[in-house]
Amino acid sequence: QVTLVESGGGSVQPGGSLTLSCQYTGRYYYMGWFRQAPGKEREDIANIAQPGGTWYADSVQGRFTISQDNAKNTLYLQMNNLRPEDTAMYYCAAEPRKGRPIHRPQDHTYRGQGTQVTVSS
């Protein structure tokens, strides 16, 4: 049974930092994050492709870092210099198939329930 469980969301002031975690079962060729704010479309944020390629959206490049600890079955998203426009529900996603677009984690086969991030002063 596939499980993806996000944690680490919360409220933070602009300029602050948060680290999201995604505890998962199974093995995947791609693992990533996407987000969705109320009334807006899903936005792909970051993705890891085995054996080690990464992709970031322009909106988070240089501020967010995706990483993975296979020994702990955990995917991370370190978010620095957060902005009000980063406020959204953040989802972890996983894809077992090769040859998928690295910039589309929202299309991965599996996704978690999400964790809310709110950036506000």
Side-chain angles (χ1 to χ4, degrees):
Q1 181 178 355
V2 174
T3 59
L4 300 169
V5 180
E6 302 96 336
S7 62
S11 296
V12 64
Q13 293 185 340
S17 298
L18 283 174
T19 299
L20 305 184
S21 299
C22 174
Q23 189 80 29
Y24 60 86
T25 59
R27 288 291 178 262
Y28 307 99
Y29 197 77
Y30 301 93
M31 292 205 72
W33 297 89
F34 66 93
R35 65 189 180 187
Q36 188 165 24
K40 296 187 177 180
E41 295 185 351
R42 292 173 184 166
E43 180 185 11
D44 296 295
I45 300 172
N47 216 8
I48 288 180
Q50 299 302 327
T54 57
W55 169 86
Y56 294 94
D58 290 344
S59 59
V60 305
Q61 179 76 50
R63 301 188 298 124
F64 291 11
T65 303
I66 189 171
S67 62
Q68 186 174 16
D69 187 335
N70 285 322
K72 296 182 178 180
N73 279 15
T74 303
L75 181 74
Y76 301 98
L77 185 68
Q78 172 68 44
M79 306 186 295
N80 297 325
N81 192 20
L82 283 161
R83 304 166 179 169
E85 54 264 39
D86 294 318
T87 295
M89 186 71 79
Y90 284 69
Y91 297 89
C92 169
E95 175 58 61
R97 301 173 292 175
K98 296 182 180 181
R100 310 303 296 172
I102 194 172
H103 65 286
R104 293 284 294 183
Q106 67 178 279
D107 291 339
H108 290 351
T109 299
Y110 305 108
R111 65 185 61 162
Q113 294 300 307
T115 185
Q116 177 68 36
V117 172
T118 301
V119 185
S120 174
S121 56

